[in-house]
Structures are given as C-alpha cells and as structure tokens.
Amino acid sequence: MKIFAIGMNYAAHNKELHDTLLKTDAPVVFTKADSALLKPGKPFFVPDDMGRIDYEAELVVRICRLGKNIAPRFAHRYYDAATVGIDFTARDMQRQASQAGQPWTICKGFDGSAAIGDWVPLDVLPAIDSLSFRLDRNGQTVQQGCTADMFYKVDDIIAYISRFFTLKTGDLLYTGTPAGVGPIHIGDHLDGWLEERHVLDLNCR
C-alpha cells in the first residue's frame, strides 16, 4: 500500500505558507510510509521531539484497481471512495529541510502522520470536482475546502502519478490542503466533514 500526497494544490494555502498564489508547473508529489497510516478510531500521539506539528485537512481518495500510464479521461475508473484525512506535518522540520534543499520524508512521513476518516462511496457523493470538506478543532471550524478550488483535479493527479508509479488497489491519494493549517496540541479533538457527513473523529494525545 502506497500513500501519495500533493503539496501546494490550493492558492490560498500557498499564500499562507509560501507567499505565492501561483500554480506549480506540475503537481508537487511526495509519499508517506505505510506506517504513517492512522486508521479511524485511533488517537494521534503528538511527537515531543519534532517541534511544531500542524494539521492539514485534505480530501483523500482510494485507488481500487491496478493502473499505469492512465489517461485523464479514464482516471475516474481507478478510485471508488473518498474521505477526509489529515496530513500531519512537522512544520519546523519542513522549513529547515526546504531551506536546505532536502526532502520532506521525515517531516511528512513519520508514523501516524496520515490520519484517515471513514470511506464514503463515490456514488452517494456529488461530483468529485465539487466536493466540500472541513475540519473542526475543539468544536471550531479551522479549515474549509472545495475540490473545485484545486489547481490539479483528482483525475489529472492520478494520470500524472501513474506515469511514474504503478497504482495498486488500496493505495491512497491525499489531494492537498486548503488555507487554515495550524498547530495541534495534546488534548485537541479534530472532526472532519465531507459534505454533511461526519467522517473523521480524532483525539490528540
């Protein structure tokens, strides 16, 4: 099982972190280790030795069949469900790595850094390119996003990734986070919503 994630896919988030609204030349792709997966119902244990840890709520889709070099017009056949996930990020470490021109492997892919909500079949949801989602922290909404605002749409991302990696059943794709990211602390409670469905319920310890 592989976990793919996309960076800098929402203009407002790019502005808050990188002071730019510009679209990247191609999707910014990184991966997380399989041990990063944090399944529904499991708490997130905040690392005490990695500095500031930020939440980044994202739409996540589940790959449902084997594919390589997938054309964008066929990409919709390769995923069958969506949910809200959190790409936990060691922000201090990420800034240091970026400044040094180093990869994001540790700051993005550490154990438990890929929280996932309950899956919702695509056939009961609106079109993939117009899905709304949000994240609440301790009862207050901190992030709201809509896939209509993504620079790179789900089908285009899948087509792009499949040029370099063979997609397999069970692989996950985190599609990028909207504006509003921020630090989490021990004792925080996070709730994720996909349209009006409560799909993620997460305690930070």
Side-chain angles (χ1 to χ4, degrees):
M1 187 269 293
K2 301 183 290 300
I3 302 173
F4 297 101
I6 304 299
M8 301 180 67
N9 205 22
Y10 286 83
H13 174 62
N14 293 357
K15 180 67 175 178
E16 71 178 351
L17 283 192
H18 307 287
D19 198 30
T20 179
L21 293 171
L22 297 179
K23 180 179 180 179
T24 55
D25 293 335
V28 176
V29 181
F30 59 94
T31 60
K32 290 174 174 274
D34 58 2
S35 61
L37 184 64
L38 186 64
K39 295 181 179 180
K42 302 293 184 181
F44 174 71
F45 291 97
V46 182
D48 59 6
D49 60 349
M50 296 180 70
R52 170 174 162 168
I53 305 295
D54 279 6
Y55 56 80
E56 296 189 7
E58 312 196 4
L59 178 84
V60 186
V61 298
R62 181 179 66 192
I63 302 300
C64 64
R65 61 191 295 188
L66 185 73
K68 175 70 174 175
N69 291 321
I70 302 165
R73 67 182 183 277
F74 298 131
H76 67 278
R77 302 177 181 177
Y78 289 82
Y79 55 97
D80 63 353
T83 191
V84 173
I86 300 177
D87 167 23
F88 285 112
T89 302
R91 189 68 71 202
D92 295 334
M93 295 181 68
Q94 184 190 35
R95 290 195 179 104
Q96 293 168 4
S98 296
Q99 291 170 0
Q102 297 174 351
W104 295 352
T105 306
I106 294 175
C107 62
K108 285 285 193 178
F110 60 92
D111 287 355
S113 63
I116 200 79
D118 296 322
W119 292 108
V120 180
L122 291 181
D123 58 8
V124 300
L125 291 170
I128 194 70
D129 289 338
S130 61
L131 287 179
S132 297
F133 61 97
R134 78 174 197 266
L135 181 71
D136 294 351
R137 181 183 61 182
N138 303 326
Q140 299 294 319
T141 298
V142 290
Q143 284 189 280
Q144 296 185 80
C146 180
T147 55
D149 297 326
M150 297 196 304
F151 283 137
Y152 295 99
K153 306 305 184 186
V154 173
D155 289 356
D156 294 327
I157 295 169
I158 287 176
Y160 181 77
I161 289 176
S162 72
R163 290 168 51 190
F164 310 101
F165 301 92
T166 298
L167 298 180
K168 296 183 178 181
T169 301
D171 288 349
L172 306 181
L173 172 60
Y174 284 65
T175 59
T177 193
V181 303
I184 51 94
H185 306 282
I186 293 173
D188 280 349
H189 184 82
L190 302 175
D191 291 290
W193 300 80
L194 180 57
E195 294 291 323
E196 297 304 318
R197 297 171 184 268
H198 184 209
V199 295
L200 184 142
D201 188 332
L202 179 61
N203 291 304
C204 299
R205 297 180 179 173

